Amino acid sequence: MRILLSLVILFAAAIGLAVGAQFNPGNVVFFYPPYRIDLSLNLFIALAALLFVVVYSVLTAIRSTQQMPQRVAAYRRDKREREGNRAMREALKALFEGRFGHAEKAAIRAADNPDNAGLSALIAARAAHRMGQPERRDVWLAKAQDDQALKTARLMTAIELAVDGQQPESALEAIRELNASGMRHIHALRLALKANQRAKNWPEVLRLVRLLDKRNALHPALSHRLRELAYEALLSSVAHDTESIRRIWAAVPAEDRVRPFVAVRAAGAFNASGLHDEARTIVEKALEVEWDERLVRAYGNSAAAEGSPALLAQIERCEEWARSHPSDSELALTLGVLCLRQKLWGKAQRHLEQALSEASGASTVREAHLKLAQLHEALKQPDEAAAHYRQCALASIL
């Protein structure tokens, strides 16, 4: 339809010009003595239009010729960009497919385009890492340093690859550089957590676990396990240094102090340092929050000296707990052990036999038989003591 309208307009214009030219008596004279040229106005207009077309065509050709080098350069640049982008797509596809050698080769081709050089280097670094080539991986990461727009991407890649490659020190160095730039998103915190765990930097592990817990970015089971590992390492590493264990414990948050696995390890560390009073205090506070058999056993291991008021207070406290937990075999065993230490033979035998009758675990049975054997030895009853020793040995085998 548009073509038809264009033809109609063109024909109408031609007819209009033809009709107009018939009624145009004008004349144009070019006079340069002794020469004289007479032209009709219509012919002059036609020649002028033709001259304009010729001059315009010549100037356009000259301009096109002058622009030819820039056009050729632009064409080559566009071609390189298309080839580079195609190579980039091939590199990403090969990386996701697990063809890491092909991915690195495609990334090298993609790096011919300066705009793709940084990303290509990161792709090649990942591919080299997956092929077990850490030296080549580091070379590619170094090439990506020139692109400041990719600084965060480069550091995140470096952290992830260093953690995966069991190089926690390199990962921590990249983390420090990343933190200096103010970048603290969740994935970076997770990678920092892994790096500090590999480096056994347990105070930082605890800080990161608490930070990730606040953002609900860590599974509760994983958070629990990491806290266990961290506190076990921190508290056991200073077990023979009283000042260090006190300093470590002072830095533990109040909500963590009453967790059973933390309190048990802390009590063990304080007991190993001879700080039994502080160990008992830790266990008592934890038991007020949550009842746990591990805490009860730790309380027995924190027994005060024989005949001391502290030991009598321990026995009274255990008897109070026994009224609330009458069927707890671990509590009965602990109470029997404390009474045995205080030489309350009757009470000790009664509680130890109760623990033996209600025990479900082999360790409780073995410990109860052992303490009963010691009790009968103290009472000069060798036959009964020997019988319990045999039962203790059988429980150890089973």
Short mmCIF file of all heavy atoms in Angstrom, two decimals, residues 62-112:
data_model
loop_
_atom_site.label_atom_id
_atom_site.label_comp_id
_atom_site.label_asym_id
_atom_site.label_seq_id
_atom_site.Cartn_x
_atom_site.Cartn_y
_atom_site.Cartn_z
N ILE A 62 33.68 10.99 -1.76
CA ILE A 62 34.94 11.41 -1.11
C ILE A 62 34.86 11.16 0.40
O ILE A 62 35.81 10.66 1.02
CB ILE A 62 35.21 12.90 -1.42
CG1 ILE A 62 35.50 13.08 -2.91
CG2 ILE A 62 36.39 13.40 -0.58
CD1 ILE A 62 35.62 14.52 -3.34
N ARG A 63 33.71 11.54 0.98
CA ARG A 63 33.57 11.36 2.44
C ARG A 63 33.60 9.88 2.80
O ARG A 63 34.22 9.48 3.80
CB ARG A 63 32.25 11.98 2.88
CG ARG A 63 32.04 11.93 4.39
CD ARG A 63 30.73 12.58 4.76
NE ARG A 63 30.53 12.53 6.20
CZ ARG A 63 29.43 12.96 6.80
NH1 ARG A 63 28.44 13.48 6.06
NH2 ARG A 63 29.31 12.87 8.10
N SER A 64 32.94 9.05 2.01
CA SER A 64 32.94 7.61 2.28
C SER A 64 34.34 7.04 2.17
O SER A 64 34.74 6.16 2.96
CB SER A 64 32.01 6.88 1.31
OG SER A 64 30.67 7.33 1.47
N THR A 65 35.10 7.54 1.21
CA THR A 65 36.48 7.06 1.06
C THR A 65 37.32 7.44 2.27
O THR A 65 38.14 6.65 2.75
CB THR A 65 37.08 7.65 -0.22
OG1 THR A 65 36.26 7.29 -1.34
CG2 THR A 65 38.49 7.13 -0.45
N GLN A 66 37.12 8.67 2.76
CA GLN A 66 37.87 9.12 3.93
C GLN A 66 37.50 8.31 5.19
O GLN A 66 38.34 8.09 6.06
CB GLN A 66 37.62 10.61 4.18
CG GLN A 66 38.23 11.51 3.11
CD GLN A 66 37.88 12.97 3.34
OE1 GLN A 66 36.90 13.29 4.04
NE2 GLN A 66 38.65 13.87 2.74
N GLN A 67 36.24 7.91 5.29
CA GLN A 67 35.79 7.17 6.48
C GLN A 67 36.05 5.66 6.38
O GLN A 67 35.75 4.92 7.34
CB GLN A 67 34.29 7.39 6.70
CG GLN A 67 33.96 8.82 7.11
CD GLN A 67 32.46 9.02 7.30
OE1 GLN A 67 31.66 8.19 6.85
NE2 GLN A 67 32.09 10.12 7.93
N MET A 68 36.54 5.22 5.26
CA MET A 68 36.73 3.79 5.07
C MET A 68 37.63 3.15 6.13
O MET A 68 37.30 2.09 6.66
CB MET A 68 37.28 3.52 3.67
CG MET A 68 37.33 2.04 3.31
SD MET A 68 35.69 1.31 3.29
CE MET A 68 34.99 2.12 1.84
N PRO A 69 38.78 3.75 6.52
CA PRO A 69 39.62 3.12 7.56
C PRO A 69 38.89 2.95 8.90
O PRO A 69 38.99 1.92 9.55
CB PRO A 69 40.81 4.07 7.69
CG PRO A 69 40.86 4.78 6.38
CD PRO A 69 39.44 4.92 5.94
N GLN A 70 38.11 4.03 9.29
CA GLN A 70 37.37 3.92 10.54
C GLN A 70 36.29 2.83 10.45
O GLN A 70 36.06 2.09 11.41
CB GLN A 70 36.71 5.25 10.88
CG GLN A 70 37.69 6.35 11.28
CD GLN A 70 38.25 7.10 10.08
OE1 GLN A 70 38.07 6.68 8.93
NE2 GLN A 70 38.96 8.19 10.35
N ARG A 71 35.65 2.72 9.27
CA ARG A 71 34.63 1.70 9.11
C ARG A 71 35.23 0.30 9.15
O ARG A 71 34.65 -0.61 9.75
CB ARG A 71 33.88 1.91 7.80
CG ARG A 71 32.98 3.13 7.78
CD ARG A 71 32.21 3.21 6.50
NE ARG A 71 31.31 4.35 6.49
CZ ARG A 71 30.51 4.66 5.46
NH1 ARG A 71 30.53 3.91 4.37
NH2 ARG A 71 29.72 5.72 5.53
N VAL A 72 36.39 0.18 8.51
CA VAL A 72 37.06 -1.13 8.54
C VAL A 72 37.46 -1.48 9.97
O VAL A 72 37.28 -2.62 10.42
CB VAL A 72 38.28 -1.12 7.60
CG1 VAL A 72 39.09 -2.40 7.79
CG2 VAL A 72 37.85 -0.98 6.15
N ALA A 73 37.99 -0.48 10.70
CA ALA A 73 38.39 -0.72 12.08
C ALA A 73 37.18 -1.08 12.95
O ALA A 73 37.23 -1.98 13.79
CB ALA A 73 39.10 0.51 12.65
N ALA A 74 36.06 -0.35 12.73
CA ALA A 74 34.84 -0.65 13.49
C ALA A 74 34.32 -2.04 13.16
O ALA A 74 33.86 -2.77 14.04
CB ALA A 74 33.78 0.41 13.19
N TYR A 75 34.40 -2.41 11.87
CA TYR A 75 33.95 -3.74 11.46
C TYR A 75 34.80 -4.81 12.14
O TYR A 75 34.26 -5.80 12.67
CB TYR A 75 34.03 -3.87 9.96
CG TYR A 75 33.81 -5.29 9.47
CD1 TYR A 75 32.53 -5.82 9.41
CD2 TYR A 75 34.88 -6.09 9.09
CE1 TYR A 75 32.32 -7.12 8.99
CE2 TYR A 75 34.68 -7.39 8.67
CZ TYR A 75 33.40 -7.90 8.62
OH TYR A 75 33.21 -9.19 8.20
N ARG A 76 36.11 -4.60 12.14
CA ARG A 76 36.98 -5.59 12.79
C ARG A 76 36.74 -5.63 14.29
O ARG A 76 36.75 -6.70 14.91
CB ARG A 76 38.44 -5.24 12.50
CG ARG A 76 38.84 -5.45 11.03
CD ARG A 76 40.25 -5.01 10.79
NE ARG A 76 40.67 -5.28 9.40
CZ ARG A 76 41.81 -4.87 8.87
NH1 ARG A 76 42.68 -4.18 9.63
NH2 ARG A 76 42.10 -5.14 7.61
N ARG A 77 36.51 -4.45 14.89
CA ARG A 77 36.24 -4.41 16.33
C ARG A 77 34.93 -5.14 16.66
O ARG A 77 34.85 -5.90 17.62
CB ARG A 77 36.17 -2.96 16.80
CG ARG A 77 36.00 -2.81 18.31
CD ARG A 77 36.13 -1.36 18.75
NE ARG A 77 35.16 -0.50 18.09
CZ ARG A 77 35.46 0.38 17.14
NH1 ARG A 77 36.73 0.51 16.72
NH2 ARG A 77 34.53 1.13 16.58
N ASP A 78 33.91 -4.88 15.85
CA ASP A 78 32.64 -5.57 16.06
C ASP A 78 32.79 -7.07 15.87
O ASP A 78 32.18 -7.87 16.60
CB ASP A 78 31.58 -5.03 15.10
CG ASP A 78 31.19 -3.59 15.43
OD1 ASP A 78 31.49 -3.14 16.55
OD2 ASP A 78 30.62 -2.91 14.55
N LYS A 79 33.61 -7.44 14.88
CA LYS A 79 33.83 -8.87 14.64
C LYS A 79 34.54 -9.51 15.82
O LYS A 79 34.16 -10.60 16.28
CB LYS A 79 34.65 -9.05 13.37
CG LYS A 79 34.88 -10.51 13.00
CD LYS A 79 35.69 -10.63 11.72
CE LYS A 79 35.93 -12.10 11.37
NZ LYS A 79 36.74 -12.25 10.14
N ARG A 80 35.57 -8.82 16.36
CA ARG A 80 36.28 -9.35 17.53
C ARG A 80 35.34 -9.45 18.74
O ARG A 80 35.40 -10.40 19.51
CB ARG A 80 37.48 -8.47 17.88
CG ARG A 80 38.67 -8.65 16.95
CD ARG A 80 39.92 -8.07 17.58
NE ARG A 80 39.75 -6.67 17.93
CZ ARG A 80 40.04 -5.65 17.12
NH1 ARG A 80 40.50 -5.90 15.90
NH2 ARG A 80 39.87 -4.41 17.52
N GLU A 81 34.48 -8.44 18.87
CA GLU A 81 33.54 -8.46 20.00
C GLU A 81 32.57 -9.62 19.87
O GLU A 81 32.28 -10.32 20.85
CB GLU A 81 32.79 -7.14 20.06
CG GLU A 81 31.86 -7.02 21.26
CD GLU A 81 31.23 -5.65 21.38
OE1 GLU A 81 31.60 -4.76 20.60
OE2 GLU A 81 30.37 -5.48 22.26
N ARG A 82 32.05 -9.84 18.66
CA ARG A 82 31.14 -10.97 18.46
C ARG A 82 31.85 -12.29 18.73
O ARG A 82 31.30 -13.18 19.39
CB ARG A 82 30.60 -10.95 17.02
CG ARG A 82 29.61 -9.83 16.74
CD ARG A 82 28.88 -10.09 15.44
NE ARG A 82 29.80 -10.17 14.30
CZ ARG A 82 30.20 -9.13 13.57
NH1 ARG A 82 29.77 -7.90 13.88
NH2 ARG A 82 31.01 -9.30 12.55
N GLU A 83 33.08 -12.42 18.23
CA GLU A 83 33.83 -13.65 18.45
C GLU A 83 34.16 -13.83 19.93
O GLU A 83 34.11 -14.93 20.48
CB GLU A 83 35.10 -13.65 17.61
CG GLU A 83 34.84 -13.75 16.11
CD GLU A 83 36.13 -13.66 15.30
OE1 GLU A 83 37.18 -13.31 15.91
OE2 GLU A 83 36.08 -13.92 14.08
N GLY A 84 34.52 -12.70 20.58
CA GLY A 84 34.83 -12.77 22.02
C GLY A 84 33.61 -13.17 22.84
O GLY A 84 33.71 -13.98 23.76
N ASN A 85 32.46 -12.58 22.51
CA ASN A 85 31.23 -12.94 23.24
C ASN A 85 30.84 -14.39 22.98
O ASN A 85 30.38 -15.09 23.90
CB ASN A 85 30.10 -12.01 22.82
CG ASN A 85 30.31 -10.59 23.32
OD1 ASN A 85 31.05 -10.36 24.28
ND2 ASN A 85 29.69 -9.62 22.66
N ARG A 86 31.05 -14.85 21.75
CA ARG A 86 30.76 -16.24 21.45
C ARG A 86 31.70 -17.17 22.23
O ARG A 86 31.28 -18.18 22.79
CB ARG A 86 30.89 -16.49 19.95
CG ARG A 86 30.52 -17.91 19.56
CD ARG A 86 30.33 -18.08 18.06
NE ARG A 86 31.52 -17.71 17.33
CZ ARG A 86 31.64 -16.62 16.56
NH1 ARG A 86 30.61 -15.77 16.45
NH2 ARG A 86 32.75 -16.36 15.90
N ALA A 87 32.98 -16.78 22.30
CA ALA A 87 33.93 -17.58 23.07
C ALA A 87 33.60 -17.55 24.57
O ALA A 87 33.75 -18.55 25.27
CB ALA A 87 35.35 -17.06 22.84
N MET A 88 33.10 -16.40 25.05
CA MET A 88 32.69 -16.30 26.45
C MET A 88 31.54 -17.26 26.74
O MET A 88 31.54 -17.96 27.77
CB MET A 88 32.29 -14.87 26.78
CG MET A 88 31.77 -14.66 28.19
SD MET A 88 33.05 -14.78 29.43
CE MET A 88 33.84 -13.19 29.20
N ARG A 89 30.57 -17.28 25.86
CA ARG A 89 29.44 -18.21 26.04
C ARG A 89 29.92 -19.66 26.01
O ARG A 89 29.46 -20.50 26.78
CB ARG A 89 28.38 -17.96 24.97
CG ARG A 89 27.65 -16.62 25.12
CD ARG A 89 26.44 -16.57 24.23
NE ARG A 89 26.79 -16.59 22.82
CZ ARG A 89 27.06 -15.53 22.07
NH1 ARG A 89 27.03 -14.31 22.63
NH2 ARG A 89 27.35 -15.64 20.80
N GLU A 90 30.84 -19.96 25.11
CA GLU A 90 31.38 -21.32 25.04
C GLU A 90 32.13 -21.68 26.32
O GLU A 90 32.03 -22.80 26.81
CB GLU A 90 32.32 -21.44 23.84
CG GLU A 90 31.62 -21.39 22.48
CD GLU A 90 32.61 -21.48 21.34
OE1 GLU A 90 33.82 -21.68 21.62
OE2 GLU A 90 32.19 -21.35 20.18
N ALA A 91 32.89 -20.70 26.86
CA ALA A 91 33.64 -20.96 28.09
C ALA A 91 32.71 -21.25 29.26
O ALA A 91 32.93 -22.18 30.05
CB ALA A 91 34.55 -19.77 28.41
N LEU A 92 31.65 -20.44 29.39
CA LEU A 92 30.69 -20.67 30.47
C LEU A 92 29.98 -22.01 30.31
O LEU A 92 29.80 -22.76 31.28
CB LEU A 92 29.67 -19.54 30.49
CG LEU A 92 30.17 -18.19 31.02
CD1 LEU A 92 29.13 -17.11 30.79
CD2 LEU A 92 30.51 -18.28 32.50
N LYS A 93 29.60 -22.32 29.10
CA LYS A 93 28.92 -23.59 28.85
C LYS A 93 29.83 -24.77 29.19
O LYS A 93 29.42 -25.73 29.85
CB LYS A 93 28.49 -23.65 27.38
CG LYS A 93 27.76 -24.93 26.98
CD LYS A 93 27.24 -24.80 25.56
CE LYS A 93 26.54 -26.09 25.10
NZ LYS A 93 27.49 -27.18 24.90
N ALA A 94 31.08 -24.68 28.75
CA ALA A 94 32.03 -25.76 29.04
C ALA A 94 32.32 -25.87 30.53
O ALA A 94 32.47 -26.98 31.07
CB ALA A 94 33.32 -25.53 28.26
N LEU A 95 32.38 -24.74 31.21
CA LEU A 95 32.63 -24.77 32.66
C LEU A 95 31.49 -25.47 33.39
O LEU A 95 31.73 -26.30 34.28
CB LEU A 95 32.79 -23.34 33.18
CG LEU A 95 33.11 -23.19 34.68
CD1 LEU A 95 34.50 -23.74 34.99
CD2 LEU A 95 33.01 -21.74 35.11
N PHE A 96 30.25 -25.15 33.03
CA PHE A 96 29.11 -25.78 33.68
C PHE A 96 28.99 -27.25 33.29
O PHE A 96 28.44 -28.05 34.07
CB PHE A 96 27.82 -25.05 33.31
CG PHE A 96 27.75 -23.66 33.87
CD1 PHE A 96 27.20 -22.62 33.14
CD2 PHE A 96 28.24 -23.38 35.13
CE1 PHE A 96 27.14 -21.34 33.65
CE2 PHE A 96 28.19 -22.10 35.65
CZ PHE A 96 27.64 -21.07 34.91
N GLU A 97 29.49 -27.61 32.12
CA GLU A 97 29.45 -29.00 31.69
C GLU A 97 30.56 -29.83 32.30
O GLU A 97 30.56 -31.05 32.19
CB GLU A 97 29.54 -29.08 30.17
CG GLU A 97 28.28 -28.57 29.46
CD GLU A 97 28.44 -28.57 27.96
OE1 GLU A 97 29.59 -28.76 27.48
OE2 GLU A 97 27.43 -28.41 27.24
N GLY A 98 31.54 -29.17 32.93
CA GLY A 98 32.65 -29.90 33.52
C GLY A 98 33.79 -30.15 32.55
O GLY A 98 34.73 -30.88 32.89
N ARG A 99 33.76 -29.54 31.39
CA ARG A 99 34.87 -29.69 30.43
C ARG A 99 35.82 -28.51 30.65
O ARG A 99 35.82 -27.52 29.93
CB ARG A 99 34.33 -29.71 29.00
CG ARG A 99 33.41 -30.90 28.74
CD ARG A 99 32.95 -30.96 27.30
NE ARG A 99 32.10 -29.84 26.96
CZ ARG A 99 32.26 -29.09 25.88
NH1 ARG A 99 33.27 -29.31 25.06
NH2 ARG A 99 31.43 -28.10 25.64
N PHE A 100 36.64 -28.65 31.68
CA PHE A 100 37.42 -27.51 32.16
C PHE A 100 38.54 -27.12 31.20
O PHE A 100 38.86 -25.94 31.09
CB PHE A 100 37.97 -27.84 33.55
CG PHE A 100 36.90 -28.18 34.54
CD1 PHE A 100 36.86 -29.43 35.14
CD2 PHE A 100 35.91 -27.27 34.85
CE1 PHE A 100 35.86 -29.76 36.04
CE2 PHE A 100 34.91 -27.58 35.76
CZ PHE A 100 34.88 -28.83 36.35
N GLY A 101 39.15 -28.07 30.54
CA GLY A 101 40.18 -27.73 29.57
C GLY A 101 39.63 -26.91 28.44
O GLY A 101 40.22 -25.90 28.01
N HIS A 102 38.48 -27.32 27.91
CA HIS A 102 37.83 -26.56 26.84
C HIS A 102 37.42 -25.18 27.34
O HIS A 102 37.50 -24.19 26.61
CB HIS A 102 36.62 -27.33 26.32
CG HIS A 102 35.96 -26.68 25.15
ND1 HIS A 102 36.48 -26.74 23.87
CD2 HIS A 102 34.82 -25.94 25.07
CE1 HIS A 102 35.68 -26.08 23.05
NE2 HIS A 102 34.66 -25.58 23.76
N ALA A 103 36.97 -25.13 28.59
CA ALA A 103 36.54 -23.84 29.16
C ALA A 103 37.71 -22.87 29.24
O ALA A 103 37.57 -21.68 28.92
CB ALA A 103 35.95 -24.06 30.55
N GLU A 104 38.88 -23.36 29.64
CA GLU A 104 40.04 -22.47 29.73
C GLU A 104 40.47 -21.99 28.35
O GLU A 104 40.80 -20.81 28.17
CB GLU A 104 41.19 -23.19 30.43
CG GLU A 104 42.38 -22.29 30.71
CD GLU A 104 43.47 -22.98 31.49
OE1 GLU A 104 43.37 -24.21 31.69
OE2 GLU A 104 44.42 -22.29 31.91
N LYS A 105 40.46 -22.88 27.35
CA LYS A 105 40.83 -22.47 26.00
C LYS A 105 39.84 -21.43 25.45
O LYS A 105 40.25 -20.45 24.82
CB LYS A 105 40.87 -23.69 25.09
CG LYS A 105 42.00 -24.65 25.41
CD LYS A 105 41.95 -25.87 24.51
CE LYS A 105 43.07 -26.86 24.87
NZ LYS A 105 43.00 -28.08 24.04
N ALA A 106 38.56 -21.65 25.68
CA ALA A 106 37.57 -20.68 25.22
C ALA A 106 37.73 -19.35 25.95
O ALA A 106 37.55 -18.28 25.36
CB ALA A 106 36.16 -21.24 25.43
N ALA A 107 38.08 -19.40 27.22
CA ALA A 107 38.29 -18.16 27.99
C ALA A 107 39.49 -17.39 27.44
O ALA A 107 39.49 -16.15 27.41
CB ALA A 107 38.49 -18.48 29.46
N ILE A 108 40.52 -18.10 26.98
CA ILE A 108 41.68 -17.43 26.38
C ILE A 108 41.25 -16.68 25.12
O ILE A 108 41.67 -15.54 24.88
CB ILE A 108 42.78 -18.47 26.07
CG1 ILE A 108 43.35 -19.03 27.37
CG2 ILE A 108 43.89 -17.83 25.23
CD1 ILE A 108 44.32 -20.17 27.17
N ARG A 109 40.40 -17.30 24.29
CA ARG A 109 39.91 -16.62 23.09
C ARG A 109 39.03 -15.44 23.46
O ARG A 109 39.10 -14.38 22.82
CB ARG A 109 39.12 -17.59 22.22
CG ARG A 109 39.95 -18.74 21.65
CD ARG A 109 39.25 -19.38 20.47
NE ARG A 109 37.89 -19.79 20.78
CZ ARG A 109 37.57 -20.96 21.30
NH1 ARG A 109 38.52 -21.85 21.61
NH2 ARG A 109 36.30 -21.27 21.54
N ALA A 110 38.21 -15.61 24.49
CA ALA A 110 37.33 -14.52 24.90
C ALA A 110 38.11 -13.34 25.46
O ALA A 110 37.66 -12.19 25.36
CB ALA A 110 36.33 -15.03 25.95
N ALA A 111 39.29 -13.59 26.01
CA ALA A 111 40.10 -12.51 26.59
C ALA A 111 40.67 -11.58 25.54
O ALA A 111 41.19 -10.51 25.89
CB ALA A 111 41.23 -13.11 27.43
N ASP A 112 40.58 -11.94 24.23
CA ASP A 112 41.04 -11.03 23.18
C ASP A 112 40.21 -9.75 23.16
O ASP A 112 40.69 -8.71 22.70
CB ASP A 112 40.96 -11.72 21.82
CG ASP A 112 41.98 -12.85 21.70
OD1 ASP A 112 42.97 -12.82 22.46
OD2 ASP A 112 41.78 -13.75 20.87
#
